[in-house]
Amino acid sequence: MNELNEHAEFLSDAELSEAAKQQRHLTERIAHASSPFREIVTQINHVLVGQSHLVDRMLIGLLTGGHLLIEGVPGLAKTTAVASLAKAINTGFQRLQFTPDLLPADLIGTQVYRPQDQTFVVQKGPIFSNLVLADEINRAPAKVQSALLEAMQEHQVTIGSETFPLPEPFLVMATQNPVEQEGTYALPEAQTDRFMLKVIVDYPNREEELLILRRMGKTGTKLEVDAVASPEDILAARTLLDEIRVDEKVEGYIVDLVMATRRPKAYGLELDGLIQFGGSPRATINLTLAARAAAFLAGRAYVLPTDVRSIALDVLRHRVMITYEAEAEDLTSESIVQQILDHIPAP
C-alpha cells in the first residue's frame, strides 16, 4: 500500500507533485544506501549455502540495532554466518563461548591493579566489539546473562565506577541449542525480550545439502569473504529508516497483532487459557522497526502489510508465553502466533 496513493484525493496538484518528488528522491536514496547490503549478501553466499532467512534477519538486526537470538542444532553454520557478516562489513568481531564457569568480568572486563604506580586500570573485555557472537548463551549462569543485559539494552558497560559506551554499530547475536538441555540455564523473560528477533535455523534441503557437499567436502577447503561495506555504511543506512513511511492502516495492523497476543478473545480468537502473557510495547516498537528495515532492503520508501507479516513470527515467537494447558494440547508459542497471523486480516 503506497501512502501517497492512499491520500492522493486530499492533496492539491502542487502538493501531490511535491510529495511524489520527495518520495521518488527518498526511493533513490534508499536504492543507493541499500546497495552495500546486496553486496554483503553476495559475499556471504560465497561461503554459506542456503540460510537466506538467517542472512536477511542478520541484516535487519544490523539496520535497526536489534539483537538476534538464533536457535538451531549444531552444525548448521550459525557461527560461520555471523563471522562472514563481520568480514563483509570490515568491522570488529568477537566470538564468546559461553560456559557454566564464565564470569561477568570475562565478558565486560575488570579493573587490574598496577603495583608499579599503585593504581587500578580498566581492562576492557571482549564485549567491546561491533559484532558479538554469544555462542550457546544458555550455558552461562544468570550473573553473566544479566551483565550482557546492560550492554544489549543501553549500549554501554559499567566497570567499577566508570561507564563506557560500546562501539557503533553494536549487535549481539546469540545462539542456543534447542536439543541438549543438560547443564544449561534457561534465559529469563527479561533477557529474551531484549532480543528483537528469535530466528529458527532449520536443516538445508536436498539440493542445498548437495551443494554443501561439493563445496566443503574436501580437506583444506577455505572460502574467503571480501569486505564490501563499512560501519559507516551501516550507520548512514540507519538514518533513512525513520523516513520510510508507515501508513495509519499498517500501524493499526501492527498494534492489532500485538494486542491479539494479550487479549485474543477481543479479536475473536479461541485462545482462552492458552496464553500466559503476550507481547509488550517493545514488541510493537520492534515489529515497526523490523518492517521498516524489510522495506529498506526491498528498496521501498514505504512499508507494506506483507513486510509486517513476513517478520512478525520472528518478532513475536519469543514474547508469547504459553500456559501448561497449551503445552498439554501440544501447542507452542509459534503455533499460537501463527494462528493470530492467519486470523487478523491485513489492510
Side-chain angles (χ1 to χ4, degrees):
M1 173 180 17
N2 189 320
E3 184 178 295
L4 181 62
N5 293 336
E6 182 76 14
H7 301 294
E9 59 183 297
F10 302 108
L11 301 174
S12 67
D13 290 343
E15 290 173 329
L16 187 60
S17 176
E18 181 61 27
K21 188 185 298 182
Q22 290 177 0
Q23 182 162 326
R24 186 164 58 250
H25 179 58
L26 178 58
T27 301
E28 290 170 357
R29 291 164 61 202
I30 288 172
H32 175 72
S34 61
S35 61
F37 292 86
R38 291 190 289 274
E39 291 294 327
I40 289 172
V41 173
T42 300
Q43 288 298 317
I44 293 177
N45 287 340
H46 289 165
V47 175
L48 207 64
V49 176
Q51 306 299 5
S52 58
H53 181 81
L54 173 59
V55 174
D56 178 74
R57 276 19 182 192
M58 289 195 303
L59 294 181
I60 287 175
L62 259 183
L63 270 169
T64 59
H67 309 290
L68 273 70
L69 181 60
I70 305 169
E71 185 174 289
V73 298
L76 296 182
K78 300 184 295 293
T79 304
T80 302
V82 179
S84 299
L85 177 65
K87 290 178 182 177
I89 62 174
N90 192 26
T91 190
F93 170 64
Q94 286 285 349
R95 176 184 178 272
L96 306 175
Q97 183 62 53
F98 278 47
T99 56
D101 60 348
L102 197 70
L103 299 174
D106 298 327
L107 178 68
I108 65 173
T110 187
Q111 291 181 317
V112 178
Y113 181 68
R114 297 177 61 180
Q116 60 267 33
D117 51 13
Q118 297 183 353
T119 59
F120 285 92
V121 296
V122 172
Q123 183 71 44
K124 292 182 178 180
I127 194 70
F128 287 89
S129 189
N130 296 104
L131 297 185
V132 176
L133 174 61
D135 222 352
E136 296 190 279
I137 187 175
N138 54 337
R139 291 198 176 279
K143 282 186 177 180
V144 177
Q145 293 177 2
S146 61
L148 188 62
L149 193 71
E150 181 191 10
M152 291 171 58
Q153 183 64 24
E154 307 296 336
H155 285 211
Q156 65 182 27
V157 164
T158 302
I159 304 174
S161 60
E162 294 184 76
T163 299
F164 302 90
L166 292 166
E168 290 291 348
F170 174 71
L171 183 64
V172 173
M173 285 178 268
T175 69
Q176 64 179 12
N177 182 349
V179 178
E180 188 178 334
Q181 296 302 320
E182 186 177 348
T184 62
Y185 302 82
L187 291 177
E189 286 77 12
Q191 181 83 359
T192 56
D193 196 48
R194 293 305 196 278
F195 289 98
M196 170 181 269
L197 306 172
K198 181 178 180 181
V199 184
I200 305 299
V201 181
D202 207 351
Y203 290 110
N205 59 37
R206 189 176 187 278
E207 290 73 21
E208 291 169 344
E209 193 95 13
L210 276 171
L211 186 54
I212 292 170
L213 183 153
R214 290 164 183 163
R215 184 181 292 184
M216 304 298 295
K218 300 174 184 177
T219 58
T221 300
K222 189 175 182 181
L223 302 173
E224 296 295 334
V225 173
D226 295 330
V228 292
S230 67
E232 290 73 26
D233 292 327
I234 307 302
L235 297 177
R238 285 182 180 180
T239 62
L240 290 176
L241 284 191
D242 289 342
E243 298 186 49
I244 293 177
R245 304 173 192 273
V246 184
D247 187 80
E248 288 184 8
K249 291 181 180 179
V250 177
E251 288 178 338
Y253 181 50
I254 291 170
V255 170
D256 285 340
L257 288 176
V258 177
M259 292 290 291
T261 66
R262 305 175 202 163
R263 303 184 183 90
K265 193 172 183 180
Y267 290 86
L269 285 153
E270 299 298 327
L271 298 174
D272 287 347
L274 301 179
I275 299 176
Q276 190 173 352
F277 58 87
S280 68
R282 186 182 283 121
T284 306
I285 295 168
N286 286 345
L287 186 51
T288 306
L289 287 172
R292 276 194 161 111
F296 174 91
L297 292 173
R300 273 186 277 100
Y302 51 91
V303 173
L304 292 172
T306 51
D307 296 322
V308 177
R309 186 177 174 84
S310 69
I311 200 73
L313 193 59
D314 291 333
V315 172
L316 295 173
R317 62 158 54 98
H318 57 299
R319 291 186 163 94
V320 174
M321 298 296 114
I322 61 174
T323 62
Y324 292 116
E325 288 82 356
E327 292 181 7
E329 295 182 23
D330 290 328
L331 293 173
T332 63
S333 60
E334 184 166 333
S335 64
I336 286 176
V337 172
Q338 191 60 57
Q339 284 188 47
I340 292 171
L341 286 170
D342 293 340
H343 183 80
I344 304 293

